[in-house]
Amino acid sequence: MIKSPLQIARESYAPKLPKALKGSVKIVEGKETESVADQADIKAMFPNTYGMPLLTFEPGEAAPTAARNVGVILSGGQAPGGHNVISGIYDGLKKLNPDNKLYGFLGGPGGLVDNEYVELTAEIVDHYRNTGGFDIIGSGRTKLEEEEQFEKALVNCKALDITALVIIGGDDSNTNACVLAEYYKNKAAGVQVIGVPKTIDGDLKNEMIETSFGFDTACKVYSELIGNIQRDANSAKKYWHFIKLMGRSASHIGLECALQTQPNICIISEEVEAKQQTLDDVVTYIAEAVAKRAANGSNFGTVLIPEGLVEFIPAMKALIAELNDLLAHNEEKVNALEGNKEKREFVAELLSADSREVFVSLPNSIANQLMADRDPHGNVQVSLIETEKMLIDMVKAKLKGWKKEGKFVGKFSGQAHFFGYEGRCAAPSNFDADYCYSLGTTASVLIAEGKTGYMASVRNLTASSDEWIAGGVPVTMMMNMEKRHGEMKPVIQKALVRLDGAPYKKFVEQREDWAINTKYVYPGPIQYFGPSEVCDITTKTLQYEQA
């Protein structure tokens, strides 16, 4: 591996731990839990792992533990800090018993099923401490859902004498981890399963999981880039920058980046849905801000757009649902048509009147993207829809009409950006380096205590790391029933931006001022070395939520 000077320096950074994890640990059991919704259904599906108590760690007495082998899997999209979770698991296991071994399954859950693995030694782990990415063992999106997969995984675990698995992933991955834990416990298979909360989107959160790892770093990386663009906009004074940000299911990244950078406009998908806004409502809102700034001589600005916006606009959501069904039943006929124009006309005729009206109003490029290849589940690939370009085109068209009416006197020139991969594998901030190491250490304790069906939890995150509260939360506590591919299935409930929450309210207080006036903040790059007020700050979201 070729190492940069920063990577070499970061290898020596010692992540901070909560007081309870610095020595021997004892577990304190709290109240028994129930799922967030659909209690009877979830209990029936998870009879062995439902209703388990919350767990909190406190300093305790050292107790000998037998040597054991543990497996670890990175599942789903990358998030900064994953390597520190593995480092925390490794160090935690070695502290409990130097003879403990950690095996990493390669390429995600598929590696567990296909028995592709590597033993993670100090020589390997030390090279990845405090670095971004998941390249130590790779990740993948194979879903562990079928009994055949569970049995293959069990055979592979038995061959390596593995008695516990740690699955590092988002809501779907941890749902699968819980299903696996239930299956193995029901069979008395002798394999524990522990989850770790990961996603930069920030939608895996609740009272026990204050934030998923990677969210802090990704938002700081995106905010640096947004700040750079805003400084350029304020220098050149001639472009409106439309910036799409990760977040298909929730707008947490957009809201956090807005709080950090104070753009002129930030669209919150959850608000659009709650107010039943149309696409034209969103376009008009942006165009009005452009016109007001132009009247003040400011023909520039920034607009933040969540990746999943189109699915939150009720009419667009209905259109996409119709298209998914229509294209599934007419795939051969649509593919037989040669040109995009013919395909659009054919599809438009099959749509309902309301959806047809929306469909024909869209720019051709966006209509074509909506008809493009589906994902493996038959759904439109929202991340491929160039929402930022669509909004530029539609705002431009509206302003052109207003100019003829004398309602717009300025100039408008749009620049489109999409920040996604730029933040997923960044070197973790001090917060994520510490948080992830604590999560990994927590997972090792849960394993030592024989727990299964739990997710590692570290709370009180706006306090100093000494005061963080480590423990475990039953995954079933976070579940509800949702329709997936036509069937009701148990899944971890996604956390959307709360319109009654402190971060959103703080944003609403200021956004009218930001829209008209230039109040940009330039956060600059993540700082690793220096005063704690620069290096160790948490997200604005956490600060406002826990104020």
Side-chain angles (χ1 to χ4, degrees):
M1 181 191 300
I2 301 171
K3 298 180 184 179
S4 69
L6 174 64
Q7 188 173 338
I8 293 167
R10 289 295 280 175
E11 281 181 4
S12 63
Y13 176 74
K16 300 180 282 291
L17 280 171
K19 190 183 300 179
L21 292 177
K22 290 180 178 177
S24 299
V25 176
K26 74 173 182 180
I27 286 186
V28 178
E29 291 193 355
K31 62 180 182 179
E32 292 186 349
T33 59
E34 62 179 16
S35 58
V36 293
D38 308 307
Q39 288 82 12
D41 290 333
I42 302 296
K43 185 176 182 179
M45 300 180 79
F46 296 90
N48 296 287
T49 52
Y50 187 87
M52 299 187 300
L54 295 170
L55 304 176
T56 304
F57 298 167
E58 293 182 359
E61 300 294 325
T65 61
R68 59 190 308 184
N69 296 345
V70 174
V72 63
I73 300 164
L74 293 165
S75 180
Q78 291 71 249
H83 290 158
N84 269 30
V85 176
I86 291 177
S87 300
I89 297 169
Y90 178 85
D91 291 350
L93 290 173
K94 291 296 185 181
K95 186 172 79 171
L96 289 162
N97 188 321
D99 292 327
N100 284 341
K101 290 184 179 180
L102 181 63
Y103 290 91
F105 287 96
L106 304 177
L112 174 64
V113 176
D114 298 333
N115 202 31
E116 297 176 349
Y117 64 88
V118 63
E119 182 183 346
L120 294 171
T121 62
E123 184 180 9
I124 295 172
V125 172
D126 288 350
H127 285 308
Y128 290 90
R129 294 180 186 273
N130 311 306
T131 62
F134 280 4
D135 46 310
I136 187 171
I137 54 174
S139 186
R141 295 188 180 273
T142 300
K143 292 187 181 297
L144 298 175
E145 297 179 307
E146 306 297 331
E147 187 172 324
E148 182 183 2
Q149 294 174 307
F150 302 162
E151 288 297 328
K152 281 185 177 180
L154 183 57
V155 169
N156 297 335
C157 285
K158 294 297 184 184
L160 292 169
D161 198 24
I162 286 174
T163 57
L165 290 168
V166 182
I167 296 179
I168 303 167
D171 53 345
D172 284 340
S173 299
N174 275 285
T175 295
N176 294 337
C178 191
V179 171
L180 192 63
E182 175 67 29
Y183 182 84
Y184 287 160
K185 192 165 185 181
N186 183 58
K187 286 194 66 172
V191 177
Q192 303 160 242
V193 185
I194 299 296
V196 175
K198 176 273 311 177
T199 172
I200 67 168
D201 288 355
D203 55 13
L204 175 47
K205 61 189 289 186
N206 50 58
E207 59 183 296
M208 297 301 294
I209 307 295
E210 294 178 353
T211 188
S212 52
F213 81 75
F215 178 73
D216 180 88
T217 304
C219 288
K220 284 174 177 169
V221 170
Y222 297 143
S223 294
E224 176 197 350
L225 297 172
I226 293 164
N228 294 348
I229 285 172
Q230 290 187 153
R231 196 142 220 168
D232 187 270
N234 202 12
S235 300
K237 301 188 186 302
K238 60 181 179 180
Y239 294 117
W240 272 86
H241 295 269
F242 285 59
I243 304 166
K244 185 171 72 173
L245 296 164
M246 294 285 278
R248 172 171 183 168
S249 301
S251 306
H252 296 292
I253 289 179
L255 178 56
E256 173 63 28
C257 290
L259 292 169
Q260 288 195 33
T261 63
Q262 302 186 179
N264 301 106
I265 295 169
C266 175
I267 306 298
I268 303 297
S269 295
E270 292 84 343
E271 180 183 21
V272 170
E273 185 173 51
K275 292 181 176 178
Q276 295 285 293
Q277 292 179 337
T278 65
L279 181 56
D280 186 64
D281 290 335
V282 175
V283 171
T284 300
Y285 171 63
I286 298 171
E288 285 175 346
V290 173
K292 288 176 182 176
R293 284 180 60 80
N296 295 333
S298 298
N299 290 297
F300 64 94
T302 49
V303 182
L304 304 188
I305 305 154
E307 177 186 19
L309 173 63
V310 293
E311 287 192 309
F312 282 81
I313 297 171
M316 289 290 290
K317 189 173 186 177
L319 168 62
I320 289 170
E322 272 195 56
L323 284 172
N324 286 340
D325 188 55
L326 187 156
L327 292 172
H329 291 93
N330 295 273
E331 185 176 6
E332 290 186 10
K333 291 180 181 177
V334 172
N335 289 340
L337 297 171
E338 291 187 4
N340 285 325
K341 183 180 178 183
E342 290 77 11
K343 290 180 181 180
R344 287 195 302 273
E345 290 173 350
F346 175 79
V347 167
E349 286 301 314
L350 297 177
L351 290 169
S352 65
D354 289 343
S355 290
R356 185 185 308 123
E357 183 180 351
V358 175
F359 186 66
V360 299
S361 73
L362 297 172
N364 288 334
S365 59
I366 303 302
N368 293 340
Q369 287 172 350
L370 286 174
M371 295 188 300
D373 291 340
R374 270 34 198 166
D375 67 17
H377 307 298
N379 299 317
V380 65
Q381 299 186 67
V382 172
S383 65
L384 300 182
I385 298 174
E386 296 176 313
T387 319
E388 67 280 21
K389 293 183 180 179
M390 174 183 74
L391 291 175
I392 288 173
D393 289 344
M394 297 181 80
V395 168
K396 185 176 182 179
K398 187 167 287 287
L399 292 172
K400 185 177 180 180
W402 287 359
K403 185 162 258 186
K404 290 179 180 177
E405 299 170 17
K407 292 168 60 178
F408 175 60
V409 295
K411 298 177 181 178
F412 175 78
S413 181
Q415 297 281 348
H417 313 264
F418 175 30
F419 296 152
Y421 293 106
E422 292 84 350
R424 300 203 314 172
C425 287
S429 62
N430 281 357
F431 172 83
D432 268 329
D434 298 343
Y435 180 46
C436 290
Y437 191 76
S438 296
L439 287 170
T441 308
T442 297
S444 72
V445 174
L446 291 170
I447 290 167
E449 294 292 329
K451 305 302 179 183
T452 192
Y454 275 87
M455 187 183 292
S457 167
V458 178
R459 297 178 290 125
N460 198 33
L461 296 173
T462 53
S464 69
S465 56
D466 260 2
E467 299 173 47
W468 289 357
I469 301 168
V473 53
V475 181
T476 52
M477 180 183 173
M478 310 174 198
M479 286 187 167
N480 66 172
M481 301 295 292
E482 292 180 14
K483 183 169 279 189
R484 296 286 176 92
H485 319 312
E487 295 180 31
M488 295 302 293
K489 291 193 174 185
V491 295
I492 293 174
Q493 189 177 69
K494 284 187 182 292
L496 304 182
V497 169
R498 290 181 52 185
L499 302 186
D500 61 349
Y504 172 77
K505 287 182 176 179
K506 189 68 177 178
F507 164 69
V508 171
E509 280 177 18
Q510 304 170 88
R511 64 177 171 188
E512 287 187 21
D513 183 25
W514 299 351
I516 307 306
N517 301 303
T518 303
K519 295 291 185 73
Y520 301 152
V521 175
Y522 313 116
I526 293 173
Q527 298 297 312
Y528 301 107
F529 313 106
S532 61
E533 63 268 23
V534 175
C535 302
D536 299 329
I537 53 174
T538 56
T539 59
K540 299 283 187 183
T541 297
L542 270 174
Q543 291 171 32
Y544 292 134
E545 284 175 343
Q546 299 190 22

